Amino acid sequence: MKRLESAFEHFLFSSRWLMAPVYAGLIFALLVLLVKFGKEVWQLSSRVMTASGSEVIIGVLSLVDISLIMSLLIIIMLSGYENFVSKMEDLHAHTDRPEWMGHIGFSDLKIKLIGSIVAISGIELLKAFMNVGNLSDRHLGWMVGIHLTFVLSGLLYALMDRLQGKGH
């Protein structure tokens, strides 16, 4: 019976490799976002001379938005892979290895995720405020409400995480 249990545990442990294609899919998502970023840069640069100040600001905010999402994907891919699939032992001495790699746990990853969602939501809200004349009060109200929900959720999650950490 112990042998069966051991075999099952090895099988269960090996199943973590089923996450590897998910991280490969996130690499594809990075490429898609890179194309979107290039398109935004092209559109912004092609109309920079005729665009109003608010249109330029909205264009730049769109670039920042894409950049935040891409950075978040990098954090999720690298820390998720190291936390759930395999340690990247060969890269520990690499000069370009980010300091946070190997130190972000699942809880830290969730905090970074909610923080990024709040930042992205804030950028979308700022873009909406820059274009407030084209939005209904109801639409703007929903955007503010959703953003505040993200902010409150982030604060509550950070508080719960901090309270839980003090117990250890």
Side-chain angles (χ1 to χ4, degrees), residues 3-158:
R3 215 166 32 170
L4 182 61
E5 180 182 0
S6 179
F8 178 74
E9 288 170 356
H10 282 290
F11 175 71
L12 191 61
F13 185 68
S14 296
S15 70
R16 73 192 190 283
W17 283 98
L18 294 174
M19 286 295 295
V22 172
Y23 297 118
L26 291 178
I27 294 169
F28 177 74
L30 275 176
L31 291 171
V32 169
L33 285 169
L34 182 61
V35 169
K36 177 69 173 165
F37 187 88
K39 180 182 172 190
E40 291 287 331
V41 167
W42 177 260
Q43 287 176 347
L44 183 61
S45 62
S46 67
R47 60 176 199 242
V48 72
M49 299 307 251
T50 59
S52 67
S54 62
E55 288 173 331
V56 171
I57 291 170
I58 289 171
V60 171
L61 286 173
S62 294
L63 296 176
V64 171
D65 202 13
I66 295 169
S67 168
L68 282 172
I69 294 169
M70 292 179 78
S71 299
L72 178 62
L73 281 177
I74 294 286
I75 292 170
I76 290 170
M77 286 183 327
L78 296 178
S79 63
Y81 183 85
E82 279 215 329
N83 279 316
F84 301 115
V85 180
S86 180
K87 299 289 180 207
M88 296 184 200
E89 299 292 335
D90 296 345
L91 300 177
H92 281 289
H94 198 283
T95 57
D96 291 334
R97 181 182 167 94
E99 288 290 321
W100 52 263
M101 271 185 71
H103 302 291
I104 292 183
F106 188 60
S107 182
D108 300 323
L109 187 59
K110 289 189 287 185
I111 290 283
K112 289 192 181 312
L113 176 64
I114 192 71
S116 295
I117 289 171
V118 167
I120 291 164
S121 172
I123 288 172
E124 289 299 316
L125 191 56
L126 185 55
K127 286 174 17 182
F129 283 143
M130 296 293 295
N131 199 17
V132 75
N134 297 334
L135 296 174
S136 69
D137 290 345
R138 180 183 171 126
H139 187 239
L140 202 55
W142 273 106
M143 289 184 77
V144 169
I146 291 169
H147 178 69
L148 290 175
T149 301
F150 287 148
V151 169
L152 183 63
S153 297
L155 288 172
L156 289 174
Y157 185 79

